[in-house]
Amino acid sequence: MSAYRERVHRTGAARSTVLRTVGRRERRSHLTAPRVPTVGIDIGGTKVMAGVVDPDGHILEQLRTETPDKSKSPKVVEDTIVELVLDLSERHDVHAVGIGAAGWVDADRSRVLFAPHLSWRDEPLRDRLSERLLVPVMVDNDANTAAWAEWRFGAGRGEDHLVMITLGTGIGGAILEDGQVKRGRWGVAGEFGHMQVVPGGHRCACGNRGCWEQYSSGNALVREARELAAAESPVAYGLIDRVGGQVGDITGPLITELARSGDAMCVELFQDIGHWLGVGIANLAAALDPSCFVIGGGVSAADDLLITPARDAFRRTLTGRGYRPEARIVRAELGPEAGMVGAADLARLVARRFRRTNRRRVERFERGPFQTLLTPRGRAEDER
């Protein structure tokens, strides 16, 4: 075993301590964290996005691949992550890796407790990746990493109390106060999509009825459009003609395109989900009282078609309206790369104690596709 590998094993406990306590240092540490490139990984149900990000939030290089089928073992997804990092490390000096996972991550940011679109159940993702990549690894919920990116580099800059809402297939969210992500006692805070807003309403995949994401999400938008089309409603004729009568071909991006072109039914659908978005935001304002709500995720691409009715509903349903300051509601600025950028930036915090003059990079090992080895120069320096 090389001297570097021995050191990795000897300092494993110390590294875990750094990762456990980094949350308490987020606000002050991001200003003094090493200005080095790190890799951010955003893992969703359909894609894995990886990129090298500099200290100013600029993406130096980006890779994307499909998420392996969820019926496969967790190792298949892990192999995909490692391969992407190794590919990027051939052209960039990798100091740390941040993972934004679509699932519940424990308070220590080491294990994925549950991922609805992947076969991760209490998966020790951080430790397994750290062993293979030999650089510090940070794991967090993807909404937390996106919110961090928007606070650092996007629509939430300068805000001390920020809530992010991510609208995609469902609804995710995150809370930042005084420059620190609020993860809750068990690490799973921010699951706003499963607040019940309609008692006895639509059944949700979580097992309950009437959850917020059943009324304001990509799934809600497509469900309502398909129901109208399947009923051959006169107001849906434009949409029916566009898909040639194939109701299953109706998608969120298509509804957005038609709404932008003035299709009355598609505009009305966005008004409906925008209304429910505003109602849910008003509930969150009553509980959390932030200064700003940042709306991200794929559905937010509709921009004012969604944001305007959300603001209107927010003002109509906000408790104490007229007698309290109103939080701003703005669209996220960083787009689909927010989770990746935020994961990379948070990883820079755990890299601070491991900075060296000539940081080793991970490389492919000739005897196997996913093993790693120090560069000859790096190994020689370490063993010296």
Side-chain angles (χ1 to χ4, degrees), residues 38-256:
T38 50
V39 169
I41 309 271
D42 185 17
I43 308 170
T46 59
K47 58 94 175 80
V48 180
M49 190 185 307
V52 179
V53 181
D54 74 10
D56 298 313
H58 300 131
I59 300 171
L60 305 180
E61 185 180 352
Q62 182 176 335
L63 301 175
R64 178 172 177 158
T65 187
E66 293 183 357
T67 304
D69 188 270
K70 65 180 179 181
S71 65
K72 298 178 181 178
S73 70
K75 187 176 183 298
V76 176
V77 182
E78 179 187 313
D79 289 344
T80 301
I81 295 169
V82 172
E83 182 67 8
L84 289 170
V85 174
L86 295 179
D87 193 351
L88 292 168
S89 72
E90 292 180 348
R91 297 173 296 281
H92 304 273
D93 195 15
V94 175
H95 288 247
V97 175
I99 310 289
W104 293 355
V105 179
D106 71 355
D108 287 341
R109 280 173 285 169
S110 62
R111 310 177 75 87
V112 180
L113 302 175
F114 173 75
H117 304 295
L118 297 167
S119 55
W120 283 339
R121 304 293 183 268
D122 198 25
E123 185 70 17
L125 184 63
R126 184 192 70 193
D127 293 342
R128 289 184 174 173
L129 290 175
S130 295
E131 290 173 0
R132 297 176 66 175
L133 296 173
L134 299 183
V135 293
V137 174
M138 181 226 67
V139 180
D140 208 339
N141 173 267
D142 57 348
N144 288 342
T145 62
W148 180 266
E150 291 291 341
W151 176 71
R152 287 274 284 127
F153 311 112
R157 282 172 295 185
E159 298 288 350
D160 286 334
H161 294 80
L162 176 150
V163 171
M164 184 160 187
I165 310 294
T166 57
L167 300 178
T169 302
I171 295 179
I175 307 163
L176 271 85
E177 291 184 4
D178 296 324
Q180 182 176 331
V181 179
K182 298 296 185 180
R183 298 179 175 86
R185 174 61 182 87
W186 313 113
V188 296
E191 292 294 332
F192 306 138
H194 299 289
M195 299 187 304
Q196 292 182 329
V197 296
V198 179
H202 290 296
R203 175 73 72 180
C204 181
C206 76
N208 291 326
R209 289 185 179 274
C211 291
W212 188 23
E213 68 177 38
Q214 293 303 310
Y215 298 87
S216 185
S217 67
N219 271 356
L221 180 70
V222 172
R223 182 192 66 228
E224 295 297 314
R226 288 178 177 178
E227 287 181 359
L228 285 168
E232 297 185 351
S233 169
V235 299
Y237 282 167
L239 185 57
I240 295 171
D241 289 343
R242 182 63 181 272
V243 296
Q246 301 299 313
V247 174
D249 291 341
I250 296 174
T251 64
L254 176 59
I255 299 169
T256 302

Side-chain angles (χ1 to χ4, degrees), residues 11-26 28-29 34 96 107-110 126-127 136-139 183 346-355:
T11 60
R15 176 176 296 180
S16 296
T17 300
V18 171
L19 291 165
R20 280 197 300 271
T21 61
V22 70
R24 296 192 292 273
R25 301 197 310 265
E26 280 172 357
R28 69 174 187 264
S29 291
D108 287 341
R109 280 173 285 169
S110 62
R126 184 192 70 193
D127 293 342
V137 174
M138 181 226 67
V139 180
R183 298 179 175 86
L346 284 167
R348 194 167 290 108
L349 303 181
V350 303
R352 61 180 306 183
R353 289 193 179 183
F354 302 94
R355 180 171 55 174

